[in-house]
Amino acid sequence: GIQVEQSPPDLILQEGANSTLRCNFSDSVNNLQWFHQNPWGQLINLFYIPSGTKQNGRLSATTVATERYSLLYISSSQTTDSGVYFCASRAEGGSQGNLIFGKGTKLSVKP
Amino acid sequence: DVKVTQSSRYLVKRTGEKVFLECVQDMDHENMFWYRQDPGLGLRLIYFSYDVKMKEKGDIPEGYSVSREKKERFSLILESASTNQTSMYLCASSFSVNYGYTFGSGTRLTVV
């Protein structure tokens, strides 16, 4: 099945800094999503982005499907951005229900 | 905004009990999913449903069953709870297979 790898596994930032999180996937995909899991365990959908670029406030994401990677940009980070960021994807032709999650990037933003 | 509601935030059950985890979504989504999340193993799909009364096994269906009698409700059933089913259970829904998922807030189940 498809492999989803995220980097870095851990990231510590000072408040106000910018960061880039990376997601590599091993196959062509028809579904690519980014999630933020807050310290209480809630998973929040940030972007559905199988290709192209999207922006939402201080967050933006770019997926280059032909090169099999996606990037999540966080600008002017805040302490509330702390948590774990997951990338998840489904291979073209893969089981319809099975979105495969990466292991996540744990982000800590210090005041 | 779509809301996905899981009936319990924390649950403690005894070994051998039959356990029901309930999930309700309010936006007429076709697809619903049950995942479990464990340290070091990440999120793994247990079952999903793409229509009423339709279900498909995910990666780890053993020891679980599901029920979807109405479009808005997807129930996960632990037929005979065991300690290795202690985990965080997350329900999600999506409009269709190539749309974003919305997750509930999770149920942290402890089996003693």
Side-chain angles (χ1 to χ4, degrees), chain B residues 48-59:
Chain B
F48 73 97
S49 169
Y50 51 90
D51 202 351
V52 174
K53 297 190 186 294
M54 306 301 286
K55 61 186 179 185
E56 286 202 23
K57 294 178 181 179
D59 294 325

Side-chain angles (χ1 to χ4, degrees), chain A residues 6-19:
Chain A
Q6 293 185 242
S7 60
D10 295 278
L11 187 58
I12 300 174
L13 297 176
Q14 206 64 36
E15 200 169 25
N18 303 328
S19 63

Side-chain angles (χ1 to χ4, degrees), chain B residues 7 15 21 29 31 50:
Chain B
S7 53
T15 301
L21 302 183
H29 280 181
N31 301 287
Y50 51 90

Side-chain angles (χ1 to χ4, degrees), chain A residues 28-31 89-92 95-99, chain B residues 97-98 101:
Chain A
S28 300
V29 299
N30 57 17
N31 189 320
S89 67
R90 179 188 303 119
E92 286 183 359
S95 167
Q96 285 196 353
N98 210 349
L99 197 68
Chain B
V97 291
N98 288 332
Y101 287 22

Side-chain angles (χ1 to χ4, degrees), chain A:
Chain A
I2 190 171
Q3 305 295 316
V4 180
E5 294 184 357
Q6 293 185 242
S7 60
D10 295 278
L11 187 58
I12 300 174
L13 297 176
Q14 206 64 36
E15 200 169 25
N18 303 328
S19 63
T20 301
L21 282 57
R22 186 177 180 102
C23 172
N24 293 331
F25 40 92
S26 61
D27 207 343
S28 300
V29 299
N30 57 17
N31 189 320
L32 191 290
Q33 304 183 45
W34 283 96
F35 297 89
H36 174 221
Q37 188 167 40
N38 64 26
W40 298 272
Q42 173 81 54
L43 270 165
I44 306 295
N45 191 300
L46 300 175
F47 294 103
Y48 170 77
I49 186 165
S51 65
T53 297
K54 290 185 178 179
Q55 179 154 7
N56 184 0
R58 295 181 297 103
L59 302 181
S60 64
T62 295
T63 297
V64 183
T66 53
E67 297 186 23
R68 300 185 182 172
Y69 72 88
S70 183
L71 301 174
L72 177 70
Y73 305 96
I74 304 173
S75 64
S76 304
S77 58
Q78 301 175 358
T79 55
T80 51
D81 294 332
S82 297
V84 182
Y85 289 81
F86 290 100
C87 166
S89 67
R90 179 188 303 119
E92 286 183 359
S95 167
Q96 285 196 353
N98 210 349
L99 197 68
I100 304 298
F101 284 76
K103 294 189 183 299
T105 292
K106 185 176 181 181
L107 174 64
S108 299
V109 181
K110 306 296 186 186

